Amino acid sequence: MRMPRWSAAAAAALLLTSLAACAGDSGNGDDGKTGGFKIALIPGVANDAYYGSVACGVQAAAKATNSTVEVQAPKSFSPTDQIPILQAVIAKKPDVIIIAPTDSKALYAPLKQATAQGIKVVLVDTTLEDPSIAEAEVSSDNIEAGKTAAAKLVELLDGKSGSVLTVNLSAGVTTTDDRFKGFAEGLKAAPTLKDLGQQYSNNSVQTASSIVSSTVAAHPDLVGIFSTAAFNTEGAVAALRAIKDNNVTIVGFDANPPGVKQIQDGEVAAQVVLKPYDEGVAAGEQAINALTGKPVTKKISTGAVVATKDNLNTPEVQKYLYSFTCPAA
């Protein structure tokens, strides 16, 4: 899950994306339909190229059955903004809703209402505390990705001693909670590094910047920062730039264009790159399997790669950088 700002044009493209194919009547798969389904995709937030890549993947999967995809995204990563969109989508009675819940508890009740009306639900990127109402969950293995981030930071610090801070998003977001769990576990492999634990930015650049500034002042031995999401990284970069501190190494989670530029500019040493396009394809495939009565894989995890200045332009990394532009069929 990534949450950066993006252009109004890109936002409009994401919000209005529709893969128009065969018209077909609505159905939930029980009437023998094999295609022409109405798929609603509700990402975690608009203006985010990560979810643009998810949408591209869902569309690619939908194309195989001449199904349509309507994307509606909240303006902020919060249940307050997402739930009204979900309720409006339910009223349109799509065949399936693919959603990235912005809260593991708050989205349960409205999604339960959807399933009670015969609408199937697939979770993508984030999940619910009780995912039993969903046909499938598709997400990155965020615990493993957090461990990968820790290993990269330890490698980059190359035996240095000092403190390490995690700037997290907010409690209750399954993806970033898992990233911190994995990172904290992975950091135990470096006894010379002191884990200062996590502080929450609540998805605010300004709060993240303040957290980093105050931590640098309180812990002059700070050598590393782990950021679980894009706004956190932006705030950390701004704080270190303001105090002209080049001695702190940042490892983040952001393969959106701003995150790529942070690597190119040398402000971030590494970014963990997830595979949202693969998530979207898998979520779309499982949704269609559920609608057509085919076997459904209940839980699917996708992997990650690490981008640095050295490997940024390699095909292995380039194909996973987040984008609103869908790859050619």
Side-chain angles (χ1 to χ4, degrees):
M1 177 216 53
R2 318 298 324 130
M3 284 154 275
R5 289 168 294 188
W6 195 236
S7 70
L14 175 60
L15 291 174
L16 298 178
T17 295
S18 176
L19 183 64
C22 179
D25 295 328
S26 176
N28 62 10
D30 296 331
D31 56 2
K33 282 185 62 178
T34 59
F37 299 111
K38 295 179 181 179
I39 300 172
L41 172 61
I42 307 178
V45 69
N47 310 337
D48 186 337
Y50 179 92
Y51 287 121
S53 290
V54 171
C56 287
V58 173
Q59 291 167 17
K63 187 176 182 180
T65 56
N66 292 326
S67 296
T68 61
V69 181
E70 182 179 354
V71 184
Q72 294 191 56
K75 63 183 181 181
S76 70
F77 192 89
S78 72
T80 301
D81 286 335
Q82 192 180 43
I83 288 174
I85 289 175
L86 172 57
Q87 291 170 333
V89 167
I90 292 172
K92 293 182 179 180
K93 299 188 181 301
D95 296 299
V96 60
I97 295 172
I98 300 175
I99 186 170
T102 53
D103 187 280
S104 60
K105 295 180 181 179
L107 271 294
Y108 179 84
L111 286 172
K112 179 73 171 175
Q113 293 173 6
T115 59
Q117 295 182 37
I119 301 169
K120 296 188 184 298
V121 170
V122 171
L123 308 176
V124 67
D125 183 41
T126 52
T127 188
L128 298 171
E129 188 175 86
D130 177 7
S132 60
I133 59 173
E135 300 295 323
E137 303 169 71
V138 182
S139 180
S140 303
D141 187 337
N142 282 283
I143 291 179
E144 190 60 34
K147 291 179 181 178
T148 298
K152 176 53 69 173
L153 182 59
V154 170
E155 175 191 327
L156 291 167
L157 291 175
D158 193 24
K160 282 186 181 178
S161 298
S163 297
V164 175
L165 168 72
T166 295
V167 186
N168 206 345
L169 187 62
S170 57
V173 179
T174 57
T175 49
T176 52
D177 284 349
D178 282 350
R179 289 171 196 171
F180 173 67
K181 288 177 187 175
F183 181 81
E185 181 64 28
L187 202 63
K188 292 176 181 177
T192 61
L193 298 176
K194 178 184 178 183
D195 187 356
L196 297 178
Q198 62 182 329
Q199 294 190 49
Y200 294 112
S201 73
N202 295 313
N203 207 25
S204 164
V205 174
Q206 291 76 19
T207 302
S209 179
S210 177
I211 288 170
V212 171
S213 296
S214 60
T215 302
V216 170
H219 299 274
D221 68 335
L222 187 72
V223 292
I225 292 173
F226 170 52
S227 167
T228 66
F231 280 174
N232 300 338
T233 310
E234 186 178 338
V237 166
L240 296 180
R241 188 189 300 134
I243 61 178
K244 296 181 170 57
D245 190 333
N246 298 318
N247 299 316
V248 179
T249 299
I250 300 175
V251 173
F253 263 81
D254 187 8
N256 285 302
V260 171
K261 189 173 187 301
Q262 288 166 349
I263 295 175
Q264 293 169 332
D265 293 345
E267 294 180 313
V268 173
Q271 301 274 19
V272 178
V273 183
L274 302 176
K275 299 180 178 180
Y277 180 82
D278 291 0
E279 285 183 11
V281 170
E285 289 175 345
Q286 298 313 305
I288 291 166
N289 284 351
L291 290 168
T292 55
K294 294 180 180 178
V296 173
T297 303
K298 187 68 176 178
K299 191 166 185 175
I300 297 174
S301 293
T302 57
V305 296
V306 178
T308 65
K309 208 171 220 181
D310 291 337
N311 70 1
L312 185 59
N313 293 318
T314 63
E316 294 80 8
V317 172
Q318 283 289 313
K319 72 177 182 179
Y320 288 117
L321 299 181
Y322 313 153
S323 176
F324 288 102
T325 302
C326 297

